[in-house]
Amino acid sequence: MIQWDSTLSVGVGEIDLQHQRLVKMINELNDAMRVGKSKEVLGKIVSGLISYVQVHFATEEKYFAQFKYPETDQHTQEHRAFSQKVDDFAKKFKTGQLGLSIELMNFLSDWLGKHIKGSDKKYSAVFNANGLK
């Protein structure tokens, strides 16, 4: 679904590792969906992904505050909007109102790729200038 490569690197080891894990988790969810894993298995993967996204966003936001990143408000709004959309999906999935679909997988992979290559790349210079590599 998503192939990790150097275009997704933000030049910060800790965050690149987190992004790689998110890519792996989205790929695992896609693979599980494509082979018809049970709703219970898919639900566990979705829950794990949601939890890890929150850990990742908290990491970035900690550094935003620490380094007084000038685009903090806009970036955290993107995080909140994504979290809300995924939380809404997870609730509908758990109650049987919505199933996993190619559209959802495309949304997850597209959002992550665009977010990393767009918004996340913007903080690289600030983080690097403050010694975070």
Side-chain angles (χ1 to χ4, degrees), residues 10-72:
V10 296
V12 177
E14 176 184 11
I15 293 173
D16 281 346
L17 287 173
Q18 289 181 352
H19 285 159
Q20 288 171 15
R21 184 163 176 198
L22 288 169
V23 164
K24 182 179 178 192
M25 294 174 91
I26 289 172
N27 287 335
E28 287 173 358
L29 180 60
N30 185 59
D31 292 345
M33 181 192 74
R34 295 182 86 202
V35 298
K37 292 287 184 179
S38 71
K39 182 177 176 181
E40 181 181 334
V41 170
L42 294 172
K44 286 180 183 177
I45 297 171
V46 168
S47 293
L49 178 61
I50 290 170
S51 295
Y52 195 70
V53 162
Q54 296 312 315
V55 168
H56 170 64
F57 288 169
T59 299
E60 287 185 344
E61 292 170 15
K62 170 185 74 173
Y63 293 126
F64 294 166
Q66 185 177 338
F67 304 140
K68 297 178 179 38
Y69 180 58
E71 295 187 39
T72 295

Side-chain angles (χ1 to χ4, degrees), residues 26-125:
I26 289 172
N27 287 335
E28 287 173 358
L29 180 60
N30 185 59
D31 292 345
M33 181 192 74
R34 295 182 86 202
V35 298
K37 292 287 184 179
S38 71
K39 182 177 176 181
E40 181 181 334
V41 170
L42 294 172
K44 286 180 183 177
I45 297 171
V46 168
S47 293
L49 178 61
I50 290 170
S51 295
Y52 195 70
V53 162
Q54 296 312 315
V55 168
H56 170 64
F57 288 169
T59 299
E60 287 185 344
E61 292 170 15
K62 170 185 74 173
Y63 293 126
F64 294 166
Q66 185 177 338
F67 304 140
K68 297 178 179 38
Y69 180 58
E71 295 187 39
T72 295
D73 290 342
Q74 179 183 343
H75 200 116
T76 55
Q77 285 175 6
E78 289 179 34
H79 287 172
R80 300 298 165 260
F82 177 80
S83 295
Q84 184 62 52
K85 187 162 186 154
V86 173
D87 286 346
D88 290 346
F89 160 77
K91 287 175 188 165
K92 289 178 182 175
F93 178 74
K94 288 178 185 175
T95 61
Q97 298 172 18
L98 187 65
L100 283 178
S101 65
I102 294 299
E103 292 81 21
L104 172 70
M105 297 311 305
N106 287 338
F107 164 75
L108 290 173
S109 63
D110 289 349
W111 188 90
L112 185 63
K114 288 176 184 172
H115 184 75
I116 292 171
K117 290 177 181 179
S119 299
D120 286 355
K121 291 267 187 175
K122 291 179 183 178
Y123 62 60
S124 294

